[in-house]
Amino acid sequence: MRRYFGRKLLVYGLTFFMAVTVNWLVPRLMPGDPVASMLARARVAQPEAQEALRVYYNNLFGFDLPWWQQYLNSWGSLFRGDFGISLWAFPTPVADLLTRAVPYSLALLIPSILISWVVGNRLGALAARRKILDNTVLPVSYVLTATPYLWLAALMAWAFGIVWGIFPVAGGYSFSITPSFTWDFFLDLAWHWLLPFASLFLVALGGWAIGMRNVIIYELESDYANYLSALGAPQRLIRRYAFRNAVLPQITGLALQLGVLVAGALVTEIVFSYPGLGSLILAAIQNKDFFLLQGAFLFIVLGVLIANFIIDVVYVIVDPRTRVGMAGASA
Amino acid sequence: MRTEALYFAVRNTKLLVGAGIILVLLGIGVIGPFFIDKAPTEYVGMQMQPPGGEFWLGTNTFGQDLWAQFVHGLRTTFLVGALGGGIAAAIGMVVGFVAGYKGGWVDEILNMLTNIILVLPTLAVLFILNAYLGVRSAGMQALFIGLTQWPWAARSIRAQTFSLRGRDFVDLARLSGVGSGRIIMREIAPNMSSYLLLTFILLFGGSILIASSLDFIGLGPTDAVSLGLMLQQAHQWSAMHLGLWWWFIPPGAGITLIVGALYVANVGLDEVFNPKLREL
Amino acid sequence: MTLEVDDLRVYYRTLKGDVQALDGVSFGLKDGEILGLAGESGCGKTTLGKALIRLDGRMKHVGGSVTLDGETLPIGDDVRMNPYRFKQVSLIPQYSMSAMNPTRKIGRMVRELLESRREKLDLTELHHRLELVELPKDVLGKYPIELSGGMKQRMVMVISTLLNPSLLIADEITSALDVSTQKAVVTTLKGFRDRGFVKSMVFITHDISLTNQLADTIMVMYAGKLAEKAPAATVVNAPKHPYTQLLISSLPEVGVRYADKRLTGIPGNPPSLLNPVAGCRFRDRCPLAFDKCAEEPPPVEVEKDHVVACWKAA
Amino acid sequence: MLKLDGVTKVYRIGAFGGQTMTAVDEAGFEIKPGEVVSLIGESGSGKSTIGKMVLRLLSPTAGTISIDGHDIKKMGKRDYYRKVQGVFQDPFSSYNPVFKADRVFGMIREVYFKGVPDKEWTAKIEAALDAVRLSPGAVLNKFPHQLSGGQLQRLLIARALLLDIEYLVADEIISMLDASTRIDVLNLLADLKLRGLGVLFITHDLALGNYISDRTVVLHKGRIVEYGPTDAVFEQPEHAYTRKLLASVPQLHTKWEDA
């Protein structure tokens, strides 16, 4: 088991290392003086800040130093939590902008991922080998999973927000309300949260349902299921076992889908102007704020790696084979 | 075996419906632009016209013909999907075949690389890469998508190759003095041809979805019109608030239709190739 | 009579039509009797075994009946068959290595299985039986992956016979085993019968030498039909059906050397069972075939307990 | 003479080869032209590993395999396979299911007989098929699933005969065949030795080894426990393991209780 985690951590470490390196390398591969060209392209809010930024970033990039020193320095500032200063929201540090946005993104992501996973799995398990359900759940699931996150989000915003006017279509909370620890504010938050959550949830749901249906059909054809049937065990028991075992590959699937789900959340946020990382990234791209963009990138990579690790731990807890298998069976 | 696959193929509704939709849309994307003499970005007349006789899908706030954009957009979307999916499938195959067949250290290293890119949130990587590129072409977009989407394909091809490598006919080919490359191409790959096709289809659909996200966030091609870019513009110019539903519904529906049809055709094909899934 | 099978027909549905895998087989099984069901691949022995407990999705019951302890088994109806399974008819499958749910501890799986059949788990009896097959009690607290292949095989044997079924079907359970393990498994099965854990048994195998170690009666099948059925010693030493004769004489034994005595096989291949021609299905390969063989030979009891389906033997 | 000397195979297990498993431990025996040597062992005995090492599908961790004194490692693979060929256990796994069965001949031609004109090649194939008692019309131009296991295994022997082989490794080649057809394939193998071929017959079935071979090697957990003329091994086994093995064989005419 130690070996299992060792390997996983090695992969995650290397991934993070690669992400940081790419992040460091990309601006340096651009032709010309990166700081000058970036500042020239960026839409800096205050013109008087230009000079201050130039000095600051020349210092940060440290072009007079040998490349390896620059590289090590970038790691140094990373560990200090220094992601630079935003051009767009000068003079706010990038790290501050990101930490303010992250709770909103997590509030969308975590519930939508977990609930869609649980509900999708149930749905898929119900559909498997039941003709009528299969013929309804499956096509709907395929449509959902083929829908771009952003389009479903736009459809929902249009239908519920504009045509019927039930839900707000922009922001994390109403402009008229100031953030505070009150019920009113909380309800307002939830009201704004519901549509983006629902659209994320729906698209993800389809994929889980399809995945579960396929895995469970495979499980229902496995030897242990056949043996139980031959011994007259009721379908209930066999399905319970099959579901339990089919959940395992679905956990792995969750880890593999994280990147896609995060990406979906980012564009959904943009549609709803939800104040999470997605909207920040859009602002960074529109304003050519590369520091903000790079900071957001590292945040996302780190978040996904941590989530992956949590899933690994859960997997080991849920699958007894990972725990006993390595110890070696007595012959 | 071949005739049997054909027998099931022409009787498989999923495959027929999926392939039918794809062919129709592909036809519109390929042939359509020849019947439209205006450039998709040309200002052709009335602004914010709802769909009607002259402008099938209406016009946007600038008075651009949305049908022209849709038709050209379909073309770009198919191109990016096919190219991106093709590149990803090619890399996935090379990595998967080599890792699975060679085993040992080669496998260890390739596997590690695959896993790294697999856990990397690739859309975020694409943001960085595309953001730094000032000018972006659809081909470039497809290339980057292909370069980041191959890992899961490599992983499953590796697993299949690994199990085929243990079959006696591979050993027998080695005993006939045939080299590794030829064994992979001529013994192992033909046994997975249906699987490789399925992989390509899934990557095709996936690439279209990723491209639409990139387009939407403002990192789409700067030299073309695509369905994703239509959605981006619709969003940027508040089509939703202006009630111009014909601006953002058709492109999104187009993407969903293509990807959905690809997935459904994929399931159909799977049933055709895999006797276990056939219903009797 | 524990078991009576009468003119049983089970076909396989395929694209090209029905494969007549089991085409009119009748036999009986007495209390305490072990029947060795032997034959080559495609002879219908596995189909017969499945027909007695659970048809798989592509098989259909075309005709004939199975009576166990005086009750007719609804073999064509999966749901109605359920109450009989495990309690009256049970199975040791070919796939013992993977027959147990990999993510459940074995003891818990057994308990849940019994509960689902509304049976109480008699722990003392279970422990006793584990002891008989030389498994420690603590296997019940383990996952299948923690057991060796031989241990899994024995565990499945214990589970399958836990409710003392009238009829136990053992389907090719020894074909993947080493000779020393084969011997242990066969000895255990015999012990189960002697202790009354099972009343009667159908032991399916392609290995006649092994069947002979265990079975009281051997039934040889060919191309979906019964060829010969007789006490084990008779089948081995004085077979009457030409197929059985040729088959027996093609088997090498330790002590028989190529240089001294060259054995020969049976030329040709078994017929296709999609639209088989009428008459004796062995006649293409049979050295004794004559005109009459174009008619189907009925199984005839040529002497007590010795049934042969051949015109030449009657 | 094909000779194994101190041949050992150690597998590394685990991701980075943390543990090791010795599959074959210092095996040494020889096969002379014109004789059948059977290698008998249960699963996990290392018998197939030895077969694969002789066929150079695996390389030994230690020890040498030589033909007439030449280390096989130093021979080019193509030249080696001209002399030594193999047939495996599962006839259906030995053929690529998407191609016709006679492609196994085509592969040989492509590598070894490129310049041979069609007519000569056809004659060569017919001769090889004749040697394994197959009629060309019955087996050529067919897919593997259209042929029986026995036919497929014979085709593979014919394939080996196309080359001027001196040694054949037969790894459990009849264990998946039906009883009524297997003995004929076995006889065929025995006939090959009359052509001067050395055969390494790998099997778990003692009766088969006893029937066909001149000398017998008994393998247990990677080690050779008994090695000698077949008569001696079967009639006066010296090692306890061989005796136990012999006692477990189900005999047609004797029951275990009576033995």
Side-chain angles (χ1 to χ4, degrees):
Chain A
M1 198 157 75
R2 190 180 301 158
R3 180 174 232 105
Y4 171 80
F5 279 117
R7 266 180 90 77
K8 291 281 188 184
L9 286 175
L10 178 66
V11 168
Y12 300 153
L14 284 173
T15 308
F16 189 64
F17 171 79
M18 219 171 94
V20 173
T21 307
V22 165
N23 220 12
W24 175 83
L25 203 62
V26 169
R28 283 167 176 79
L29 289 178
M30 297 297 129
D33 176 355
V35 174
S37 74
M38 261 188 272
L39 288 178
R41 282 158 71 188
R43 297 183 199 148
V44 179
Q46 297 135 296
E48 63 272 23
Q50 282 273 9
E51 185 52 27
L53 277 169
R54 204 181 58 75
V55 173
Y56 173 81
Y57 275 110
N58 271 330
N59 211 1
L60 190 71
F61 273 61
F63 286 113
D64 44 340
L65 297 172
W67 68 266
W68 55 270
Q69 191 107 40
Q70 296 178 27
Y71 183 64
L72 286 182
N73 284 348
S74 79
W75 275 99
S77 48
L78 187 68
F79 282 124
R80 285 194 305 277
D82 181 2
F83 290 87
I85 289 176
S86 165
L87 306 181
W88 159 67
F90 183 82
T92 323
V94 166
D96 287 5
L97 287 173
L98 294 173
T99 41
R100 257 180 262 158
V102 161
Y104 285 99
S105 291
L106 289 182
L108 273 187
L109 267 172
I110 295 177
S112 61
I113 291 179
L114 292 182
I115 300 176
S116 69
W117 189 81
V118 171
V119 177
N121 281 343
R122 290 277 159 198
L123 216 58
L126 277 178
R129 286 269 177 269
R130 290 195 175 112
K131 204 128 199 175
I132 302 164
L133 269 174
D134 208 16
N135 285 341
T136 48
V137 170
L138 207 59
V140 173
S141 297
Y142 273 106
V143 172
L144 285 178
T145 197
T147 312
Y149 280 95
L150 55 109
W151 189 57
L152 187 71
L155 282 185
M156 288 180 77
W158 179 61
F160 291 100
I162 297 186
V163 178
W164 294 316
I166 312 171
F167 286 97
V169 291
Y173 49 87
S174 307
F175 289 120
S176 53
I177 214 165
T178 24
S180 56
F181 282 102
T182 57
W183 270 113
D184 284 349
F185 179 66
F186 183 74
L187 277 178
D188 192 58
L189 268 184
W191 200 237
H192 281 76
W193 170 85
L194 204 63
L195 270 191
F197 159 79
S199 81
L200 265 177
F201 165 81
L202 278 177
V203 178
L205 183 73
W208 299 130
I210 296 167
M212 186 51 149
R213 172 195 174 267
N214 294 342
V215 185
I216 219 163
I217 285 180
Y218 176 82
E219 287 289 333
L220 287 174
E221 280 167 3
S222 64
D223 286 342
Y224 71 84
N226 275 326
Y227 182 52
L228 285 173
S229 305
L231 295 188
Q235 278 295 305
R236 207 165 4 95
L237 180 73
I238 299 169
R239 279 190 169 265
R240 202 169 87 211
Y241 281 4
F243 181 75
R244 173 71 170 62
N245 294 347
V247 160
L248 298 172
Q250 287 290 86
I251 294 178
T252 314
L254 183 58
L256 293 180
Q257 284 296 310
L258 273 179
V260 176
L261 290 163
V262 170
L266 295 180
V267 291
T268 305
E269 284 178 11
I270 292 173
V271 172
F272 289 98
S273 311
Y274 202 71
L277 286 177
S279 297
L280 221 48
I281 287 174
L282 182 70
I285 288 170
Q286 285 178 341
N287 298 293
K288 301 268 189 300
D289 185 346
F290 292 103
F291 300 101
L292 183 53
L293 188 61
Q294 294 196 314
F297 169 66
L298 287 183
F299 255 60
I300 292 171
V301 171
L302 208 57
V304 168
L305 292 183
I306 292 171
N308 259 292
F309 186 70
I310 295 173
I311 293 173
D312 289 338
V313 173
V314 170
Y315 194 93
V316 169
I317 293 172
V318 184
D319 189 352
R321 283 169 296 185
T322 51
R323 275 172 283 139
V324 297
M326 307 295 152
S330 44
Chain B
M1 215 192 100
R2 300 271 151 94
T3 48
E4 192 177 292
L6 196 68
Y7 174 92
F8 282 106
V10 295
R11 280 163 183 78
N12 190 298
T13 349
K14 295 185 187 110
L15 177 60
L16 295 180
V17 169
I21 293 174
I22 293 163
L23 284 179
V24 168
L25 290 172
L26 185 66
I28 295 175
V30 171
I31 305 162
F34 295 115
F35 291 93
I36 294 168
D37 42 4
K38 300 158 290 216
T41 47
E42 219 171 291
Y43 306 113
V44 289
M46 298 282 285
Q47 294 162 359
M48 302 203 268
Q49 280 281 98
E54 189 182 354
F55 303 111
W56 293 358
L57 288 182
T59 60
N60 61 15
T61 45
F62 309 111
Q64 292 166 324
D65 180 3
L66 287 172
W67 170 246
Q69 291 201 350
F70 184 79
V71 168
H72 280 93
L74 265 182
R75 193 183 254 201
T76 312
T77 295
F78 267 112
L79 184 77
V80 171
L83 215 57
I87 291 169
I91 301 174
M93 275 192 251
V94 171
V95 172
F97 281 141
V98 172
Y101 186 74
K102 286 284 174 189
W105 285 104
V106 179
D107 181 33
E108 282 291 335
I109 291 167
L110 288 177
N111 204 15
M112 191 66 84
L113 180 73
T114 309
N115 282 333
I116 287 174
I117 301 192
L118 203 61
V119 290
L120 207 62
T122 48
L123 191 74
V125 180
L126 291 172
F127 286 166
I128 296 284
L129 289 175
N130 282 304
Y132 273 97
L133 285 174
V135 181
R136 297 177 292 264
S137 66
M140 205 64 148
Q141 189 185 39
L143 176 70
F144 281 142
I145 290 176
L147 285 176
T148 49
Q149 298 309 304
W150 56 268
W152 71 262
R155 228 163 92 137
S156 50
I157 292 171
R158 169 184 173 269
Q160 296 234 347
T161 308
F162 191 77
S163 79
L164 282 171
R165 184 185 69 154
R167 302 273 289 275
D168 289 338
F169 65 78
V170 172
D171 279 343
L172 214 62
R174 289 168 73 187
L175 290 189
S176 305
V178 181
S180 303
R182 279 170 85 121
I183 290 180
I184 290 174
M185 293 309 297
R186 294 178 48 184
E187 304 295 322
I188 292 178
N191 269 286
M192 293 166 55
S193 52
S194 60
Y195 187 77
L196 296 175
L197 178 64
L198 299 182
T199 306
F200 169 69
I201 291 176
L202 288 179
L203 287 168
F204 192 145
S207 298
I208 290 177
L209 287 180
I210 290 175
S212 74
S213 289
L214 277 177
D215 293 353
F216 185 70
I217 217 159
L219 297 173
T222 45
D223 65 347
V225 180
S226 75
L227 297 182
L229 279 175
M230 286 176 75
L231 285 170
Q232 187 253 336
Q233 289 185 356
H235 180 249
Q236 196 176 351
W237 304 106
S238 308
M240 204 194 285
H241 296 276
L242 297 171
L244 306 182
W245 53 266
W246 55 88
W247 197 354
F248 64 89
I249 286 189
I255 295 172
T256 310
L257 216 53
I258 297 174
V259 179
L262 281 171
Y263 288 173
V264 169
N266 186 61
V267 180
L269 272 178
D270 200 15
E271 288 172 357
V272 168
F273 292 133
N274 187 349
K276 252 187 154 177
L277 300 175
R278 281 177 205 149
E279 295 166 35
L280 268 174
Chain C
M1 272 302 173
T2 314
L3 176 74
E4 283 226 45
V5 173
D6 185 36
D7 195 30
L8 188 60
R9 287 169 205 274
V10 173
Y11 293 174
Y12 266 96
R13 282 174 297 178
T14 71
L15 261 188
K16 292 170 193 141
D18 286 350
V19 172
Q20 307 181 6
L22 187 64
D23 201 15
V25 170
S26 308
F27 65 95
L29 201 52
K30 291 193 279 285
D31 288 3
E33 187 176 354
I34 296 180
L35 175 76
L37 193 52
E40 301 179 89
S41 47
C43 71
K45 59 185 191 299
T46 294
T47 309
L48 175 54
K50 285 185 173 170
L52 294 177
I53 184 156
R54 183 171 177 252
L55 297 174
D56 74 31
R58 296 187 330 187
M59 289 159 73
K60 64 176 179 196
H61 178 207
V62 179
S65 65
V66 178
T67 314
L68 184 65
D69 294 331
E71 267 189 282
T72 302
L73 295 182
I75 63 162
D77 186 333
D78 194 40
V79 177
R80 282 213 299 134
M81 187 66 194
N82 259 342
Y84 298 94
R85 294 184 179 131
F86 198 15
K87 297 181 185 177
Q88 268 89 42
V89 203
S90 192
L91 168 83
I92 301 176
Q94 204 170 356
Y95 48 82
S96 283
M97 299 304 128
S98 52
M100 290 182 282
N101 184 354
T103 61
R104 274 280 195 273
K105 284 185 179 156
I106 293 168
R108 187 166 164 203
M109 193 204 94
V110 173
R111 207 185 62 231
E112 288 175 339
L113 172 62
L114 286 170
E115 275 168 7
S116 79
R117 299 299 312 274
R118 306 197 189 291
E119 288 286 331
K120 262 184 85 76
L121 172 63
D122 182 347
L123 209 57
T124 9
E125 180 63 19
L126 179 57
H127 287 164
H128 170 63
R129 294 197 180 185
L130 288 176
E131 205 177 303
L132 275 179
V133 298
E134 290 166 14
L135 282 175
K137 278 181 212 160
D138 66 359
V139 291
L140 296 178
K142 291 189 173 176
Y143 291 100
I145 193 178
E146 293 175 271
L147 270 58
S148 72
M151 291 166 85
K152 279 185 226 170
Q153 174 95 43
R154 279 174 278 156
M155 191 66 229
V156 169
M157 285 165 62
V158 168
I159 296 174
S160 293
T161 54
L162 205 52
L163 298 181
N164 298 349
S166 291
L167 174 66
L168 178 69
I169 296 151
D171 183 8
E172 289 278 12
I173 59 171
T174 54
S175 51
L177 302 177
D178 284 325
V179 281
S180 46
T181 329
Q182 273 183 359
K183 186 174 176 181
V185 166
V186 165
T187 314
T188 308
L189 284 179
K190 228 175 186 169
F192 279 7
R193 190 260 321 252
D194 295 345
R195 286 169 195 276
F197 296 170
V198 297
K199 220 195 284 176
S200 59
M201 195 186 305
V202 174
F203 182 81
I204 304 171
T205 179
H206 62 277
D207 188 342
I208 294 189
S209 313
L210 186 67
T211 317
N212 186 35
Q213 304 296 326
L214 169 74
D216 305 306
T217 310
I218 294 178
M219 180 162 116
V220 179
M221 289 183 63
Y222 186 81
K225 290 186 180 288
L226 184 152
E228 181 160 14
K229 175 177 176 283
T234 313
V235 167
V236 168
N237 298 314
K240 286 235 156 74
H241 196 287
Y243 172 65
T244 322
Q245 288 169 346
L246 290 169
L247 191 64
I248 297 280
S249 70
S250 76
L251 298 175
E253 273 192 281
V254 174
V256 175
R257 299 288 309 271
Y258 166 81
D260 313 329
K261 180 186 171 195
R262 193 182 164 116
L263 303 173
T264 50
I266 310 175
N269 294 305
S272 154
L273 296 183
L274 266 171
N275 311 315
V277 284
C280 175
R281 292 184 179 175
F282 185 59
R283 70 172 190 275
D284 288 347
R285 299 170 79 186
C286 183
L288 307 178
F290 65 123
D291 298 346
K292 182 107 171 139
C293 297
E295 274 171 59
E296 186 174 331
V300 175
E301 190 159 12
V302 289
E303 53 192 48
K304 190 178 173 332
D305 294 331
H306 190 167
V307 177
V308 185
C310 176
W311 294 117
K312 287 277 183 181
Chain D
M1 188 166 68
L2 183 79
K3 190 167 186 233
L4 282 80
D5 196 10
V7 171
T8 300
K9 179 73 191 177
V10 179
Y11 284 108
R12 296 189 167 280
I13 327 176
F16 293 101
Q19 291 148 302
T20 58
M21 200 267 292
T22 307
V24 178
D25 196 4
E26 302 213 357
F29 61 90
E30 57 203 37
I31 306 162
K32 300 192 194 83
E35 75 165 349
V36 179
V37 173
S38 56
L39 189 55
I40 294 178
E42 297 188 287
S43 57
S45 63
K47 57 187 192 299
S48 284
T49 306
I50 290 182
K52 287 204 154 123
M53 286 192 285
V54 171
L55 288 171
R56 295 181 70 181
L57 295 170
L58 290 174
S59 47
T61 317
T64 50
I65 303 174
S66 59
I67 289 186
D68 303 329
H70 302 289
D71 188 342
I72 63 167
K73 257 192 302 202
K74 300 201 176 93
M75 302 166 81
K77 276 211 173 161
R78 287 198 174 176
D79 292 333
Y80 183 69
Y81 289 140
R82 207 184 266 278
K83 289 187 174 164
V84 180
Q85 275 296 334
V87 180
F88 305 113
Q89 174 175 13
D90 183 349
F92 292 95
S93 162
S94 296
Y95 290 83
N96 199 332
V98 295
F99 298 115
K100 289 192 172 145
D102 52 23
R103 183 161 173 275
V104 295
F105 295 155
M107 259 195 282
I108 294 280
R109 186 184 188 186
E110 225 172 87
V111 176
Y112 291 98
F113 299 98
K114 231 176 180 140
V116 174
D118 285 354
K119 210 168 175 187
E120 201 177 313
W121 179 250
T122 313
K124 211 168 156 57
I125 285 186
E126 276 169 8
L129 288 177
D130 187 51
V132 297
R133 292 182 209 108
L134 283 175
S135 78
V139 292
L140 295 181
N141 217 12
K142 294 233 163 96
F143 281 100
H145 67 263
Q146 296 170 305
L147 300 172
S148 72
Q151 286 173 317
L152 290 172
Q153 292 299 61
R154 284 159 189 258
L155 267 180
L156 289 181
I157 298 173
R159 166 192 168 276
L161 294 179
L162 289 173
L163 299 159
D164 332 302
I165 56 163
E166 293 165 14
Y167 298 96
L168 183 73
V169 176
D171 187 355
E172 296 270 16
I173 66 167
I174 58 167
S175 63
M176 296 192 52
L177 304 183
D178 273 324
S180 69
T181 49
R182 68 200 308 191
I183 198 71
D184 292 327
V185 177
L186 199 59
N187 286 334
L188 201 62
L189 216 53
D191 292 344
L192 290 181
K193 72 177 184 184
L194 303 178
R195 294 172 154 231
L197 230 64
V199 178
L200 177 61
F201 181 69
I202 300 173
T203 185
H204 70 279
D205 189 328
L206 287 91
L208 300 180
N210 173 254
Y211 176 72
I212 190 179
S213 63
D214 302 295
R215 284 184 302 139
T216 296
V217 180
V218 180
L219 209 59
H220 180 51
K221 292 191 177 158
R223 285 179 168 275
I224 293 180
V225 295
E226 190 134 3
Y227 170 33
T230 299
D231 293 330
V233 169
F234 280 84
E235 275 154 38
Q236 287 132 355
E238 296 198 349
H239 198 278
Y241 176 74
T242 317
R243 284 199 288 269
K244 185 188 145 217
L245 210 54
L246 274 168
S248 309
V249 178
Q251 286 277 50
L252 188 57
H253 295 284
T254 9
K255 292 213 176 190
W256 283 323
E257 303 91 276
D258 308 333

